[in-house]
């Protein structure tokens, strides 16, 4: 056994459950067997799949905090306003990352509905002569003649949503023109179990009941550009991207029904490591924080495990334990965390008939802002429009400082279509097929210029006119400057590799479409 302890800022992170008066009780959770998280959160509200008669419904509630009291009674009235509009059970909900008051729902009726929460809607809840008024949808999308399962908003493009349907495809819709899907991603031979966009929204990963892990270029329609064997069991596999790194984490079951966590390299969709957790039967739900921490919660478990990702390995940090088993869970967007309490993540756990907020806190003595544990978070400001995304433009999401609230723009630029066309011509793709408008619109990718930049150390400030000492810079300062320069160069190299991977995926996607078109012409 090693006598050295791995250094980590998050070694002593602990989970802090909210007091009973800060929870929300009398929740009537849906009994539908569809495998989703059952709850979702924005920076202001939460949505919960509700057990309602006469069609499907879900509840929209103000966001409870584990530190301060909320405006609602801790025990909800028996009759509350619900979001009714589906003719069958609601299967999933998701909040827009660019509008805390916009939520989408999918149902067993094949519909995707959009809902807008107006300010003041919760005024007077539970008061005398209070009459509940249900929410009305602002948009209906006919996603499938069968069911519409998992849904997720695009992380960078405003008003773009992806939904997995019972036709075993993923459809991407522009909410400005929702009549037809803009992209259809196929190739699945069974039910889709989870979908996830990468950091920039260019790639989309799926897990499927056919035990395959697939990677799609979300800007082009068609089959997957990468396919790999996933977990050996068919039950409840999930996938999540690990921030802005080219890594994915999956949870699932082995052939012997062991619960597993897998780590994957996105370029070749190669498995790096598969770790066995235990032999329980509950589906594992993975959540990733930009602090490089992976949270894993099991349905039917009372605990939440969390791991720190470093150097292609997941190091166990600790475990939040509770006697109340969870049926569903979600995490709060990082931009809405309470930084004054050193809260680095917050989970909302549905257990029994209650919603319990759980804060994950780094113990610090100082009351000052702890910049080392708060990297910039995803901003609510979109980086591009739906039209720009579907025309092939590619940018990273905008980030917001949790200290000052300043928003930083993307540092990546997009490559024009002619540049990528030259690359395709050297790859022996026939020009008549590649020149089709439906293909060339998506020929964009980030430029590779940052790799060629050379870091220039800023010139030092002039010192007062005194006799200088032989050595004015301490070795520690020099080491820190060198370390900072190495970190910057490593970040530029990581970005360049991600850009190269995007180019390779686009080339392969266009090759596949060219071969299909050639076969049709023949």
């Amino acid at each position: 056994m090693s006598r050295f302890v791995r250094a980590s800022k998050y070694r002593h992170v602990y989970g802090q459950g909210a007091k009973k008066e800060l929870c929300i009780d009398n929740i009537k959770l849906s009994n539908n067997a569809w495998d989703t998280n059952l709850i979702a959160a924005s920076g202001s509200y939460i949505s919960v799949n509700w057990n309602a008669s006469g069609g499907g419904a879900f509840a929209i509630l103000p966001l409870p905090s584990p530190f301060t009291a909320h405006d609602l009674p801790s025990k909800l009235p028996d009759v509350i306003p619900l979001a009714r509009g589906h003719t069958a059970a609601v299967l999933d909900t998701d909040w827009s990352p660019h509008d805390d008051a916009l939520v989408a729902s999918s149902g067993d009726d094949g519909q995707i509905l959009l809902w807008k929460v107006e300010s003041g809607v919760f005024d007077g809840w539970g008061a005398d002569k209070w009459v509940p008024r249900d929410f009305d949808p602002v948009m209906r999308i006919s996603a499938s003649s069968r069911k519409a399962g998992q849904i997720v908003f695009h992380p960078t493009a405003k008003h773009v949503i992806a939904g997995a349907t019972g036709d075993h495809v993923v459809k991407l819709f522009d909410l400005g023109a929702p009549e037809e899907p803009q992209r259809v991603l196929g190739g699945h031979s069974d039910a889709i179990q989870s979908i996830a966009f990468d950091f920039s929204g260019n790639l989309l990963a799926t897990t499927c009941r056919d035990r395959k892990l697939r990677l799609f270029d979300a800007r082009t329609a068609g089959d997957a550009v990468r396919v790999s064997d996933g977990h050996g069991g068919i039950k409840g596999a999930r996938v999540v991207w690990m921030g802005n790194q080219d890594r994915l984490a999956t949870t699932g079951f082995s052939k012997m029904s062991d619960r597993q966590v897998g780590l994957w390299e996105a370029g070749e969709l190669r498995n790096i490591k598969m770790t066995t957790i235990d032999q329980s039967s509950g589906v594992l739900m993975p959540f990733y924080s930009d602090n490089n921490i992976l949270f894993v919660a099991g349905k039917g478990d009372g605990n939440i495990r969390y791991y720190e990702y470093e150097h292609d390995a997941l190091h166990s940090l600790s475990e939040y334990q509770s006697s109340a088993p969870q049926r569903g869970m979600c995490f709060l967007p990082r931009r809405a965390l309470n930084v004054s309490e050193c809260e680095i993540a917050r989970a909302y756990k549905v257990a029994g008939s209650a919603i319990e907020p759980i804060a994950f806190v780094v113990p610090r003595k100082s009351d000052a802002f702890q910049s080392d544990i708060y990297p910039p978070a995803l901003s609510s400001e979109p980086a591009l429009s739906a039209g720009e995304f579907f025309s092939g433009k590619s940018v990273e999401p905008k980030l917001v400082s949790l200290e000052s609230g300043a928003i930083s723009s993307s540092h990546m630029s997009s490559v024009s279509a002619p540049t990528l066309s030259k690359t395709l011509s050297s790859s022996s793709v026939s020009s008549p097929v590649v020149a089709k408008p439906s293909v060339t619109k998506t020929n964009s990718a980030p430029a590779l210029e940052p790799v060629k930049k050379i870091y220039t150390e800023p010139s030092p400030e002039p010192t007062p006119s005194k006799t200088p000492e032989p050595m004015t810079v301490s070795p520690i300062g020099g080491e820190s400057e060198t370390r900072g320069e190495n970190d910057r160069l490593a970040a530029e190299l990581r970005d360049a590799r991600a850009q190269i991977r995007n180019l390779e995926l686009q080339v392969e996607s266009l090759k596949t479409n060219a071969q299909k078109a050639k076969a049709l012409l023949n």
Side-chain angles (χ1 to χ4, degrees):
M1 182 177 178
S2 174
R3 64 182 65 181
F4 299 102
V5 177
R6 186 182 63 88
S8 172
K9 296 174 290 188
Y10 308 107
R11 173 169 300 280
H12 302 292
V13 171
Y14 64 93
Q16 175 182 325
K19 297 179 181 179
K20 186 174 181 180
E21 59 266 22
L22 301 181
C23 301
I24 298 179
D25 203 358
N26 201 22
I27 298 294
K28 297 176 175 132
L29 196 63
S30 171
N31 294 323
N32 191 277
W34 186 257
D35 181 26
T36 58
N37 294 344
L38 298 176
I39 183 173
S42 72
S44 303
Y45 305 101
I46 55 174
S47 56
V48 187
N49 294 9
W50 205 259
N51 186 15
S53 59
F58 68 98
I60 299 175
L61 301 170
L63 196 70
S65 168
F67 306 105
T68 58
H70 50 78
D71 296 332
L72 295 184
S74 59
K75 184 176 181 180
L76 296 179
D78 291 332
V79 179
I80 66 170
L82 297 175
R84 301 180 185 270
H86 290 276
T87 58
V90 173
L91 301 183
D92 196 15
T93 59
D94 189 47
W95 291 88
S96 170
H98 310 124
D99 186 350
D100 285 339
L102 181 64
V103 61
S105 62
S106 61
D108 219 348
D109 55 1
Q111 301 281 318
I112 296 177
L113 272 57
L114 276 295
W115 313 76
K116 183 73 173 179
V117 184
E118 302 295 339
S119 60
V121 70
F122 298 102
D123 294 343
W125 265 48
D128 293 339
K129 299 182 181 180
W130 171 71
V131 178
R133 296 178 58 186
D134 289 341
F135 297 91
D136 293 322
V138 296
M139 181 181 295
R140 292 179 178 270
I141 301 175
S142 296
S144 172
S145 57
R146 305 173 70 180
K147 67 178 60 177
Q150 292 81 1
I151 52 173
V152 60
F153 276 94
H154 195 277
T156 60
K158 189 175 184 180
H159 295 161
V160 174
I161 190 170
T165 70
D167 310 321
H168 304 162
V169 297
V170 178
K171 297 180 179 179
L172 274 70
F173 292 92
D174 177 0
L175 299 185
E179 295 79 13
E180 295 292 335
Q182 301 294 319
R183 300 289 184 270
V184 178
L185 312 178
H188 305 88
S189 60
D190 210 329
I192 299 171
Q193 295 174 323
S194 71
I195 58 178
F197 281 108
D198 74 338
F199 189 70
S200 61
N202 295 333
L203 303 177
L204 185 139
T206 67
T207 57
C208 183
R209 193 176 170 85
D210 61 8
R211 304 183 183 91
K212 298 292 184 182
L213 176 64
R214 291 175 172 85
L215 198 61
F216 295 86
D217 186 342
R219 295 164 295 182
T220 61
D223 294 343
V225 294
R226 293 280 191 277
V227 181
S228 179
D229 290 329
H231 296 270
I234 63 174
K235 183 180 177 181
R238 302 285 189 91
V239 62
V240 63
W241 285 87
M242 305 187 73
N244 59 350
Q245 306 171 92
D246 60 342
R247 296 291 185 269
L248 302 99
T250 61
T251 57
F253 293 80
S254 69
K255 291 182 179 179
M256 302 301 294
S257 297
D258 297 327
R259 295 200 295 188
Q260 298 176 322
V261 175
L263 187 63
W264 305 77
E265 187 268 328
E268 299 295 331
L269 208 55
R270 171 181 56 88
N271 180 252
I272 298 174
K273 188 175 182 180
M274 193 71 74
T275 303
T276 298
I277 302 298
D278 53 30
Q279 292 183 334
S280 297
S281 58
V283 173
L284 292 174
M285 300 174 286
F287 305 93
Y288 186 77
S289 168
D290 291 334
N291 304 84
N292 291 335
I293 298 179
L294 178 69
F295 296 88
V296 180
K299 288 190 175 182
D301 299 351
N303 55 352
I304 304 172
R305 300 174 174 89
Y306 39 104
Y307 307 84
E308 184 176 9
Y309 170 75
E310 187 179 29
H311 304 310
D312 281 345
L314 292 174
H315 304 278
S316 178
L317 290 174
S318 185
E319 183 175 343
Y320 171 80
Q321 296 181 339
S322 169
S323 58
Q326 57 244 6
R327 290 191 56 192
M329 182 172 292
C330 69
F331 271 68
L332 183 71
R334 286 186 59 247
R335 55 184 166 81
L337 294 174
N338 190 336
V339 296
S340 62
E341 298 287 347
C342 293
E343 181 188 35
I344 63 167
R346 186 189 302 175
Y348 285 96
K349 166 183 172 179
V350 182
S353 62
I355 297 176
E356 177 189 6
I358 303 171
F360 291 91
V361 177
V362 177
R364 293 287 174 91
K365 293 182 179 179
S366 174
D367 293 333
F369 179 77
Q370 307 294 314
S371 58
D372 60 322
I373 61 174
Y374 287 112
L378 292 175
S379 168
S380 60
E381 184 176 329
L384 70 167
S385 66
E388 289 173 331
F389 169 73
F390 287 118
S391 66
K393 188 175 181 180
S394 171
V395 297
E396 286 192 337
K398 294 185 178 181
L399 305 177
V400 60
S401 169
L402 297 183
E403 180 180 17
S404 64
I407 296 177
S408 58
S409 300
S410 171
H411 64 276
M412 296 178 66
S413 59
S414 59
V415 172
S416 60
T419 304
L420 187 57
S421 298
K422 292 180 181 179
T423 306
L424 293 173
S425 62
S426 62
S427 304
S428 69
V429 180
S430 58
S431 58
V433 177
V434 177
K436 292 173 65 177
S438 60
V439 176
T440 55
K441 284 184 180 179
T442 60
N443 295 348
S444 70
L448 303 181
E449 287 301 320
V451 147
K452 298 180 182 179
K453 291 183 180 177
I454 300 175
Y455 173 76
T456 304
E457 190 71 28
S459 59
E461 294 292 332
T463 57
S465 57
K466 292 183 179 180
T467 305
E469 296 294 332
M471 204 54 127
T472 58
V473 180
S474 65
I476 297 178
E479 290 178 3
S480 63
E481 292 177 2
T482 304
R483 189 179 300 110
E485 181 178 355
N486 289 339
D487 292 341
R488 283 187 290 271
L489 293 175
E492 291 180 359
L493 181 59
R494 183 169 60 249
D495 290 342
R497 286 175 175 170
Q499 297 159 15
I500 292 172
R501 185 186 73 245
N502 283 339
L503 285 171
E504 290 175 346
L505 291 174
Q506 292 178 48
V507 170
E508 289 201 13
S509 177
L510 290 175
K511 282 183 179 180
T512 302
N513 292 338
Q515 292 173 358
K516 289 182 178 180
K518 186 176 180 181
L520 292 175
L521 292 175
N522 292 337

